[in-house]
Amino acid sequence: MVDRAFADPSLAALYDVLNSWGPGDDFYLKLVMSASSVLDVGCGTGRLLARARSDGHRGRLMGLDPAAAMLVRARDAERDVEWVLGDLRSRAWDGEFDLVVMTGHAFQEIVADEEIRAALRSVRAALGTGGRFVFETRNPSARAWERWTPQRRCEVSDADGTAVQVWHEVELPVRGDRVTFTETYEGARWKGPQVCRSTLRFLSPDALSRFLTEAGLTVVGQYGDWGRGPLTPASPEIVTVAQAAS
Protein backbone atom coordinates (compact mmCIF):
# COMPACT_ATOMS: atom_id res chain seq x y z
CA MET A 1 0.00 0.00 0.00
CA VAL A 2 1.31 3.45 -0.94
CA ASP A 3 1.77 5.85 1.96
CA ARG A 4 -0.84 8.58 1.99
CA ALA A 5 1.89 11.24 2.02
CA PHE A 6 2.75 10.15 -1.55
CA ALA A 7 -0.69 9.14 -2.81
CA ASP A 8 -2.61 12.31 -1.84
CA PRO A 9 -1.98 15.04 -4.47
CA SER A 10 -2.20 17.82 -1.89
CA LEU A 11 0.54 16.17 0.17
CA ALA A 12 2.65 15.03 -2.78
CA ALA A 13 2.80 18.69 -3.85
CA LEU A 14 4.74 19.44 -0.67
CA TYR A 15 7.37 16.72 -1.05
CA ASP A 16 10.06 18.78 -2.79
CA VAL A 17 9.43 21.73 -0.48
CA LEU A 18 9.95 19.55 2.58
CA ASN A 19 12.91 17.72 1.01
CA SER A 20 14.94 20.39 -0.73
CA TRP A 21 17.84 19.49 -3.02
CA GLY A 22 20.93 18.70 -0.96
CA PRO A 23 24.25 16.82 -0.81
CA GLY A 24 22.54 13.46 -1.27
CA ASP A 25 20.98 14.61 -4.53
CA ASP A 26 24.39 15.85 -5.74
CA PHE A 27 25.88 12.44 -4.84
CA TYR A 28 23.30 10.57 -6.90
CA LEU A 29 23.36 13.03 -9.79
CA LYS A 30 27.06 12.37 -10.37
CA LEU A 31 26.38 8.64 -10.50
CA VAL A 32 23.47 9.06 -12.91
CA MET A 33 25.45 11.33 -15.22
CA SER A 34 28.21 8.70 -15.49
CA ALA A 35 25.85 5.82 -16.37
CA SER A 36 24.32 5.23 -19.79
CA SER A 37 21.11 3.61 -18.51
CA VAL A 38 19.53 4.31 -15.13
CA LEU A 39 16.53 3.00 -13.20
CA ASP A 40 15.37 5.16 -10.29
CA VAL A 41 13.19 3.00 -8.01
CA GLY A 42 10.77 5.05 -5.93
CA CYS A 43 11.55 8.09 -8.05
CA GLY A 44 8.88 10.24 -6.43
CA THR A 45 8.50 13.61 -8.12
CA GLY A 46 11.29 12.64 -10.50
CA ARG A 47 13.57 15.55 -9.78
CA LEU A 48 16.80 13.47 -9.93
CA LEU A 49 16.19 12.15 -13.45
CA ALA A 50 14.66 15.43 -14.62
CA ARG A 51 17.78 17.24 -13.46
CA ALA A 52 20.02 14.67 -15.16
CA ARG A 53 18.18 15.15 -18.43
CA SER A 54 18.35 18.94 -18.20
CA ASP A 55 22.07 18.66 -17.42
CA GLY A 56 22.66 16.79 -20.66
CA HIS A 57 22.19 13.08 -19.98
CA ARG A 58 21.30 11.48 -23.32
CA GLY A 59 20.98 7.84 -22.33
CA ARG A 60 18.03 5.86 -21.04
CA LEU A 61 16.38 7.15 -17.87
CA MET A 62 13.46 5.35 -16.22
CA GLY A 63 11.65 6.41 -13.06
CA LEU A 64 9.51 3.83 -11.26
CA ASP A 65 7.04 4.74 -8.51
CA PRO A 66 3.80 3.23 -7.13
CA ALA A 67 2.27 6.64 -6.33
CA ALA A 68 0.35 8.17 -9.24
CA ALA A 69 0.26 11.57 -7.54
CA MET A 70 4.06 11.70 -7.50
CA LEU A 71 4.40 10.60 -11.12
CA VAL A 72 1.98 13.30 -12.26
CA ARG A 73 4.46 15.84 -10.91
CA ALA A 74 7.38 13.96 -12.49
CA ARG A 75 5.76 13.98 -15.94
CA ASP A 76 4.94 17.67 -15.62
CA ALA A 77 8.59 18.41 -14.84
CA GLU A 78 10.18 16.36 -17.64
CA ARG A 79 8.58 14.50 -20.54
CA ASP A 80 11.78 12.97 -21.92
CA VAL A 81 12.05 10.27 -19.23
CA GLU A 82 10.28 6.91 -19.00
CA TRP A 83 7.95 7.35 -16.03
CA VAL A 84 6.43 4.01 -14.97
CA LEU A 85 3.65 3.55 -12.44
CA GLY A 86 4.36 0.49 -10.30
CA ASP A 87 7.08 -1.20 -8.29
CA LEU A 88 9.86 -3.69 -8.96
CA ARG A 89 7.28 -6.45 -9.41
CA SER A 90 5.60 -4.57 -12.26
CA ARG A 91 7.62 -6.17 -15.05
CA ALA A 92 10.23 -8.76 -15.91
CA TRP A 93 13.69 -7.18 -15.92
CA ASP A 94 16.47 -8.35 -18.21
CA GLY A 95 19.83 -6.77 -17.42
CA GLU A 96 18.97 -3.51 -19.13
CA PHE A 97 20.47 -0.97 -16.72
CA ASP A 98 23.98 0.05 -15.73
CA LEU A 99 22.76 1.72 -12.56
CA VAL A 100 19.79 1.28 -10.23
CA VAL A 101 19.25 3.81 -7.44
CA MET A 102 16.84 4.17 -4.55
CA THR A 103 16.99 7.62 -3.00
CA GLY A 104 15.18 9.42 -0.18
CA HIS A 105 15.51 6.42 2.18
CA ALA A 106 12.95 4.62 0.00
CA PHE A 107 14.60 1.26 0.73
CA GLN A 108 13.48 1.52 4.37
CA GLU A 109 9.86 1.39 3.30
CA ILE A 110 10.35 -2.26 2.30
CA VAL A 111 9.74 -3.85 5.68
CA ALA A 112 9.21 -7.64 5.50
CA ASP A 113 12.11 -10.01 4.85
CA GLU A 114 10.47 -11.63 1.83
CA GLU A 115 9.59 -8.25 0.33
CA ILE A 116 13.23 -7.18 0.68
CA ARG A 117 14.42 -10.41 -0.94
CA ALA A 118 11.96 -10.04 -3.81
CA ALA A 119 12.91 -6.40 -4.38
CA LEU A 120 16.63 -7.19 -4.43
CA ARG A 121 16.14 -10.11 -6.83
CA SER A 122 14.37 -7.70 -9.17
CA VAL A 123 17.17 -5.15 -8.82
CA ARG A 124 19.71 -7.85 -9.71
CA ALA A 125 17.63 -8.87 -12.72
CA ALA A 126 17.46 -5.25 -13.89
CA LEU A 127 21.24 -4.82 -13.77
CA GLY A 128 23.66 -5.94 -16.42
CA THR A 129 26.84 -7.71 -15.31
CA GLY A 130 28.95 -5.28 -13.32
CA GLY A 131 26.06 -2.86 -12.93
CA ARG A 132 25.68 -1.03 -9.63
CA PHE A 133 22.87 -0.64 -7.14
CA VAL A 134 23.25 2.43 -4.93
CA PHE A 135 20.92 3.39 -2.10
CA GLU A 136 20.94 4.85 1.39
CA THR A 137 19.31 3.95 4.68
CA ARG A 138 19.42 5.70 8.03
CA ASN A 139 22.02 4.23 10.37
CA PRO A 140 20.10 2.51 13.21
CA SER A 141 22.88 3.17 15.72
CA ALA A 142 22.34 6.94 15.24
CA ARG A 143 18.69 6.49 16.39
CA ALA A 144 17.27 9.29 14.23
CA TRP A 145 13.70 8.43 15.26
CA GLU A 146 14.36 9.78 18.75
CA ARG A 147 14.31 13.26 17.23
CA TRP A 148 10.99 12.75 15.44
CA THR A 149 8.83 14.55 17.98
CA PRO A 150 5.88 16.99 17.77
CA GLN A 151 8.12 19.64 19.31
CA ARG A 152 10.33 19.66 16.20
CA ARG A 153 7.77 21.13 13.81
CA CYS A 154 8.67 22.68 10.51
CA GLU A 155 6.66 25.22 8.56
CA VAL A 156 6.65 25.50 4.78
CA SER A 157 4.50 27.21 2.19
CA ASP A 158 2.46 25.39 -0.43
CA ALA A 159 2.19 26.48 -4.08
CA ASP A 160 -0.36 29.15 -3.12
CA GLY A 161 1.85 30.55 -0.38
CA THR A 162 -0.30 29.11 2.40
CA ALA A 163 1.60 28.06 5.52
CA VAL A 164 1.67 24.34 6.35
CA GLN A 165 3.03 22.88 9.58
CA VAL A 166 4.45 19.36 9.57
CA TRP A 167 5.54 17.20 12.48
CA HIS A 168 6.26 13.58 13.37
CA GLU A 169 5.51 11.37 16.33
CA VAL A 170 6.91 7.88 16.90
CA GLU A 171 4.72 5.12 18.29
CA LEU A 172 6.41 3.78 21.41
CA PRO A 173 7.88 1.47 22.38
CA VAL A 174 10.07 0.85 19.35
CA ARG A 175 10.44 -2.89 18.90
CA GLY A 176 13.37 -4.37 17.03
CA ASP A 177 14.41 -2.69 13.81
CA ARG A 178 10.95 -1.39 12.81
CA VAL A 179 9.85 2.15 13.63
CA THR A 180 6.21 3.18 13.19
CA PHE A 181 5.37 6.87 13.23
CA THR A 182 2.82 9.44 12.13
CA GLU A 183 3.46 12.47 9.95
CA THR A 184 0.91 15.23 10.46
CA TYR A 185 0.16 18.12 8.09
CA GLU A 186 -1.87 21.10 9.26
CA GLY A 187 -2.84 24.16 7.22
CA ALA A 188 -5.70 26.25 5.92
CA ARG A 189 -6.19 24.12 2.79
CA TRP A 190 -7.59 21.26 4.90
CA LYS A 191 -10.50 21.20 7.33
CA GLY A 192 -8.38 19.40 9.88
CA PRO A 193 -4.95 17.79 10.39
CA GLN A 194 -3.93 15.27 7.74
CA VAL A 195 -2.30 12.28 9.44
CA CYS A 196 -0.17 9.69 7.61
CA ARG A 197 1.08 6.54 9.34
CA SER A 198 4.20 4.74 8.16
CA THR A 199 6.62 2.03 9.22
CA LEU A 200 10.30 2.03 8.31
CA ARG A 201 12.88 -0.69 8.81
CA PHE A 202 16.31 0.23 10.17
CA LEU A 203 18.68 -2.52 9.05
CA SER A 204 22.27 -2.71 10.25
CA PRO A 205 25.17 -2.67 7.75
CA ASP A 206 25.71 -6.41 8.26
CA ALA A 207 22.02 -7.20 7.72
CA LEU A 208 21.98 -5.14 4.54
CA SER A 209 25.06 -6.98 3.28
CA ARG A 210 23.48 -10.37 3.96
CA PHE A 211 20.33 -9.52 2.00
CA LEU A 212 22.37 -8.13 -0.90
CA THR A 213 24.71 -11.12 -1.06
CA GLU A 214 21.77 -13.51 -1.08
CA ALA A 215 20.39 -11.66 -4.13
CA GLY A 216 23.66 -11.89 -6.07
CA LEU A 217 24.83 -8.35 -5.27
CA THR A 218 28.29 -7.71 -3.80
CA VAL A 219 28.83 -4.76 -1.47
CA VAL A 220 31.77 -2.76 -2.81
CA GLY A 221 31.37 0.26 -0.55
CA GLN A 222 29.47 1.55 2.46
CA TYR A 223 29.80 5.15 3.60
CA GLY A 224 28.56 7.11 6.57
CA ASP A 225 27.79 10.34 4.78
CA TRP A 226 27.47 11.94 1.33
CA GLY A 227 31.16 12.84 1.29
CA ARG A 228 32.01 9.12 1.31
CA GLY A 229 33.24 9.34 4.90
CA PRO A 230 33.77 6.15 6.90
CA LEU A 231 30.77 4.39 8.37
CA THR A 232 30.83 4.69 12.17
CA PRO A 233 28.18 4.20 14.91
CA ALA A 234 27.58 7.95 14.86
CA SER A 235 27.19 8.20 11.07
CA PRO A 236 23.73 9.41 10.05
CA GLU A 237 23.57 7.34 6.86
CA ILE A 238 24.52 3.97 5.47
CA VAL A 239 25.21 4.73 1.82
CA THR A 240 25.63 1.37 0.11
CA VAL A 241 27.17 0.64 -3.28
CA ALA A 242 26.60 -2.92 -4.48
CA GLN A 243 27.65 -4.54 -7.75
CA ALA A 244 25.94 -7.24 -9.74
CA ALA A 245 27.94 -10.42 -9.51
CA SER A 246 29.05 -12.05 -12.76
Side-chain angles (χ1 to χ4, degrees):
M1 181 181 294
V2 178
D3 283 356
R4 185 184 175 199
F6 309 135
D8 184 322
S10 68
L11 302 182
L14 295 169
Y15 182 85
D16 287 341
V17 179
L18 289 166
N19 302 275
S20 57
W21 188 278
D25 300 284
D26 290 329
F27 176 91
Y28 283 109
L29 182 61
K30 289 179 182 178
L31 295 173
V32 172
M33 295 303 292
S34 66
S36 61
S37 53
V38 182
L39 172 63
D40 183 357
V41 180
C43 65
T45 61
R47 68 182 181 187
L48 174 64
L49 298 187
R51 175 71 173 271
R53 188 65 88 204
S54 70
D55 282 2
H57 194 289
R58 292 294 172 259
R60 184 183 184 192
L61 299 176
M62 176 183 288
L64 178 69
D65 201 282
M70 300 292 265
L71 284 185
V72 166
R73 304 190 68 80
R75 292 189 180 105
D76 286 345
E78 175 57 68
R79 297 287 179 175
D80 190 22
V81 171
E82 296 175 62
W83 303 116
V84 179
L85 179 64
D87 57 26
L88 284 164
R89 299 167 297 180
S90 300
R91 58 183 293 174
W93 306 97
D94 187 22
E96 54 214 273
F97 295 99
D98 301 320
L99 175 68
V100 175
V101 298
M102 289 185 76
T103 70
H105 304 107
F107 188 86
Q108 289 186 256
E109 295 176 26
I110 310 172
V111 175
D113 283 3
E114 283 310 309
E115 291 175 341
I116 293 172
R117 292 188 177 101
L120 291 176
R121 286 195 298 267
S122 293
V123 167
R124 175 61 188 91
L127 287 170
T129 300
R132 291 178 297 169
F133 174 42
V134 186
F135 65 104
E136 91 283 352
T137 59
R138 297 175 184 88
N139 188 358
S141 65
R143 302 179 70 84
W145 64 85
E146 293 181 346
R147 298 182 290 278
W148 298 351
T149 66
Q151 291 72 36
R152 295 173 64 93
R153 299 188 178 206
C154 70
E155 184 171 301
V156 297
S157 297
D158 64 16
D160 299 326
T162 303
V164 177
Q165 288 198 340
V166 185
W167 66 93
H168 302 85
E169 187 167 8
V170 174
E171 296 182 6
L172 298 174
V174 172
R175 293 184 173 87
D177 56 14
R178 292 166 172 80
V179 177
T180 298
F181 64 99
T182 56
E183 183 174 46
T184 302
Y185 298 75
E186 189 172 60
R189 70 156 54 220
W190 304 288
K191 292 181 178 179
Q194 305 298 297
V195 181
C196 310
R197 186 173 184 267
S198 304
T199 298
L200 300 178
R201 189 160 182 189
F202 285 73
L203 289 169
S204 69
D206 288 343
L208 287 168
S209 295
R210 286 195 294 272
F211 276 117
L212 289 161
T213 299
E214 183 181 337
L217 295 159
T218 302
V219 175
V220 295
Q222 281 187 320
Y223 311 109
D225 56 46
W226 299 115
R228 297 178 184 260
L231 178 58
T232 71
S235 299
E237 305 285 353
I238 305 171
V239 184
T240 300
V241 181
Q243 192 166 42
S246 57

Short mmCIF file of all heavy atoms in Angstrom, two decimals, residues 73-95:
data_model
loop_
_atom_site.label_atom_id
_atom_site.label_comp_id
_atom_site.label_asym_id
_atom_site.label_seq_id
_atom_site.Cartn_x
_atom_site.Cartn_y
_atom_site.Cartn_z
N ARG A 73 3.52 14.73 -11.06
CA ARG A 73 4.46 15.84 -10.91
C ARG A 73 5.74 15.57 -11.70
O ARG A 73 6.33 16.49 -12.28
CB ARG A 73 4.76 16.07 -9.43
CG ARG A 73 3.50 16.33 -8.60
CD ARG A 73 3.83 16.80 -7.19
NE ARG A 73 4.43 18.13 -7.21
CZ ARG A 73 3.75 19.26 -7.33
NH1 ARG A 73 2.43 19.24 -7.44
NH2 ARG A 73 4.38 20.41 -7.32
N ALA A 74 6.18 14.31 -11.73
CA ALA A 74 7.38 13.96 -12.49
C ALA A 74 7.17 14.22 -13.98
O ALA A 74 8.03 14.82 -14.65
CB ALA A 74 7.74 12.50 -12.25
N ARG A 75 6.03 13.79 -14.51
CA ARG A 75 5.76 13.98 -15.94
C ARG A 75 5.62 15.46 -16.29
O ARG A 75 6.02 15.89 -17.37
CB ARG A 75 4.50 13.22 -16.34
CG ARG A 75 4.65 11.70 -16.27
CD ARG A 75 3.45 10.99 -16.88
NE ARG A 75 3.61 9.54 -16.81
CZ ARG A 75 2.97 8.76 -15.97
NH1 ARG A 75 2.09 9.28 -15.12
NH2 ARG A 75 3.17 7.45 -15.97
N ASP A 76 5.06 16.23 -15.38
CA ASP A 76 4.94 17.67 -15.62
C ASP A 76 6.31 18.34 -15.68
O ASP A 76 6.50 19.31 -16.40
CB ASP A 76 4.09 18.32 -14.53
CG ASP A 76 2.61 18.01 -14.66
OD1 ASP A 76 2.20 17.54 -15.75
OD2 ASP A 76 1.87 18.23 -13.69
N ALA A 77 7.25 17.80 -14.91
CA ALA A 77 8.59 18.41 -14.84
C ALA A 77 9.46 18.04 -16.03
O ALA A 77 10.27 18.86 -16.48
CB ALA A 77 9.28 17.98 -13.54
N GLU A 78 9.30 16.82 -16.56
CA GLU A 78 10.18 16.36 -17.64
C GLU A 78 9.49 15.24 -18.42
O GLU A 78 9.20 14.19 -17.88
CB GLU A 78 11.51 15.85 -17.07
CG GLU A 78 12.45 15.25 -18.09
CD GLU A 78 12.80 16.21 -19.22
OE1 GLU A 78 13.49 17.21 -18.94
OE2 GLU A 78 12.37 15.96 -20.37
N ARG A 79 9.25 15.49 -19.69
CA ARG A 79 8.58 14.50 -20.54
C ARG A 79 9.54 13.46 -21.11
O ARG A 79 9.14 12.35 -21.44
CB ARG A 79 7.85 15.21 -21.69
CG ARG A 79 6.73 16.14 -21.23
CD ARG A 79 5.53 15.36 -20.75
NE ARG A 79 4.45 16.21 -20.28
CZ ARG A 79 3.26 15.76 -19.90
NH1 ARG A 79 3.01 14.47 -19.95
NH2 ARG A 79 2.34 16.59 -19.44
N ASP A 80 10.81 13.83 -21.24
CA ASP A 80 11.78 12.97 -21.92
C ASP A 80 12.44 11.98 -20.95
O ASP A 80 13.66 11.84 -20.91
CB ASP A 80 12.83 13.83 -22.62
CG ASP A 80 13.72 13.01 -23.54
OD1 ASP A 80 13.30 11.91 -23.95
OD2 ASP A 80 14.85 13.47 -23.82
N VAL A 81 11.62 11.34 -20.14
CA VAL A 81 12.05 10.27 -19.23
C VAL A 81 10.94 9.23 -19.24
O VAL A 81 9.77 9.58 -19.38
CB VAL A 81 12.27 10.80 -17.79
CG1 VAL A 81 12.48 9.66 -16.81
CG2 VAL A 81 13.45 11.77 -17.74
N GLU A 82 11.30 7.95 -19.11
CA GLU A 82 10.28 6.91 -19.00
C GLU A 82 9.75 6.89 -17.56
O GLU A 82 10.45 6.43 -16.66
CB GLU A 82 10.88 5.54 -19.33
CG GLU A 82 11.38 5.38 -20.75
CD GLU A 82 12.06 4.04 -20.95
OE1 GLU A 82 11.38 3.00 -20.79
OE2 GLU A 82 13.27 4.02 -21.24
N TRP A 83 8.56 7.38 -17.36
CA TRP A 83 7.95 7.35 -16.03
C TRP A 83 6.99 6.16 -15.97
O TRP A 83 6.07 6.07 -16.78
CB TRP A 83 7.20 8.65 -15.74
CG TRP A 83 8.05 9.88 -15.83
CD1 TRP A 83 7.90 10.91 -16.72
CD2 TRP A 83 9.15 10.24 -15.00
NE1 TRP A 83 8.86 11.88 -16.50
CE2 TRP A 83 9.64 11.49 -15.45
CE3 TRP A 83 9.79 9.63 -13.92
CZ2 TRP A 83 10.72 12.14 -14.85
CZ3 TRP A 83 10.88 10.27 -13.33
CH2 TRP A 83 11.33 11.50 -13.78
N VAL A 84 7.20 5.25 -15.04
CA VAL A 84 6.43 4.01 -14.97
C VAL A 84 5.73 3.92 -13.62
O VAL A 84 6.38 4.00 -12.57
CB VAL A 84 7.34 2.79 -15.18
CG1 VAL A 84 6.53 1.50 -15.07
CG2 VAL A 84 8.04 2.88 -16.54
N LEU A 85 4.42 3.72 -13.66
CA LEU A 85 3.65 3.55 -12.44
C LEU A 85 3.74 2.08 -12.00
O LEU A 85 3.37 1.18 -12.74
CB LEU A 85 2.18 3.92 -12.68
CG LEU A 85 1.23 3.78 -11.48
CD1 LEU A 85 1.63 4.72 -10.36
CD2 LEU A 85 -0.21 4.02 -11.92
N GLY A 86 4.25 1.85 -10.80
CA GLY A 86 4.36 0.49 -10.30
C GLY A 86 5.57 0.34 -9.40
O GLY A 86 6.19 1.32 -8.97
N ASP A 87 5.90 -0.91 -9.10
CA ASP A 87 7.08 -1.20 -8.29
C ASP A 87 7.94 -2.23 -9.01
O ASP A 87 7.71 -2.53 -10.19
CB ASP A 87 6.68 -1.66 -6.88
CG ASP A 87 5.77 -2.89 -6.90
OD1 ASP A 87 5.84 -3.67 -7.88
OD2 ASP A 87 5.00 -3.08 -5.95
N LEU A 88 8.93 -2.78 -8.32
CA LEU A 88 9.86 -3.69 -8.96
C LEU A 88 9.22 -4.99 -9.44
O LEU A 88 9.80 -5.72 -10.23
CB LEU A 88 11.02 -4.00 -8.00
CG LEU A 88 12.06 -2.89 -7.87
CD1 LEU A 88 12.92 -3.11 -6.63
CD2 LEU A 88 12.94 -2.82 -9.11
N ARG A 89 7.99 -5.24 -8.97
CA ARG A 89 7.28 -6.45 -9.41
C ARG A 89 6.46 -6.19 -10.67
O ARG A 89 5.82 -7.11 -11.19
CB ARG A 89 6.35 -6.93 -8.29
CG ARG A 89 7.05 -7.30 -7.00
CD ARG A 89 6.06 -7.46 -5.86
NE ARG A 89 5.38 -6.20 -5.57
CZ ARG A 89 4.46 -6.04 -4.63
NH1 ARG A 89 4.12 -7.07 -3.88
NH2 ARG A 89 3.89 -4.86 -4.43
N SER A 90 6.50 -4.97 -11.18
CA SER A 90 5.60 -4.57 -12.26
C SER A 90 5.97 -5.17 -13.62
O SER A 90 5.14 -5.19 -14.53
CB SER A 90 5.56 -3.04 -12.39
OG SER A 90 5.10 -2.45 -11.20
N ARG A 91 7.20 -5.63 -13.75
CA ARG A 91 7.62 -6.17 -15.05
C ARG A 91 8.77 -7.13 -14.86
O ARG A 91 9.38 -7.20 -13.78
CB ARG A 91 8.02 -5.03 -15.98
CG ARG A 91 9.13 -4.14 -15.45
CD ARG A 91 9.45 -2.99 -16.37
NE ARG A 91 10.03 -3.46 -17.62
CZ ARG A 91 10.28 -2.65 -18.67
NH1 ARG A 91 9.95 -1.37 -18.60
NH2 ARG A 91 10.83 -3.11 -19.76
N ALA A 92 9.07 -7.86 -15.92
CA ALA A 92 10.23 -8.76 -15.91
C ALA A 92 11.44 -7.96 -16.39
O ALA A 92 11.40 -7.35 -17.46
CB ALA A 92 9.98 -9.95 -16.82
N TRP A 93 12.49 -7.95 -15.60
CA TRP A 93 13.69 -7.18 -15.92
C TRP A 93 14.72 -8.09 -16.57
O TRP A 93 14.81 -9.26 -16.25
CB TRP A 93 14.25 -6.54 -14.66
CG TRP A 93 13.25 -5.73 -13.91
CD1 TRP A 93 12.51 -6.14 -12.82
CD2 TRP A 93 12.83 -4.39 -14.19
NE1 TRP A 93 11.67 -5.13 -12.42
CE2 TRP A 93 11.84 -4.04 -13.22
CE3 TRP A 93 13.19 -3.44 -15.15
CZ2 TRP A 93 11.22 -2.80 -13.19
CZ3 TRP A 93 12.57 -2.20 -15.12
CH2 TRP A 93 11.60 -1.88 -14.16
N ASP A 94 15.54 -7.52 -17.45
CA ASP A 94 16.47 -8.35 -18.21
C ASP A 94 17.80 -7.63 -18.43
O ASP A 94 18.20 -7.36 -19.56
CB ASP A 94 15.85 -8.74 -19.56
CG ASP A 94 16.70 -9.75 -20.31
OD1 ASP A 94 17.51 -10.44 -19.67
OD2 ASP A 94 16.55 -9.83 -21.54
N GLY A 95 18.48 -7.31 -17.34
CA GLY A 95 19.83 -6.77 -17.42
C GLY A 95 19.97 -5.52 -18.26
O GLY A 95 20.99 -5.33 -18.93
#
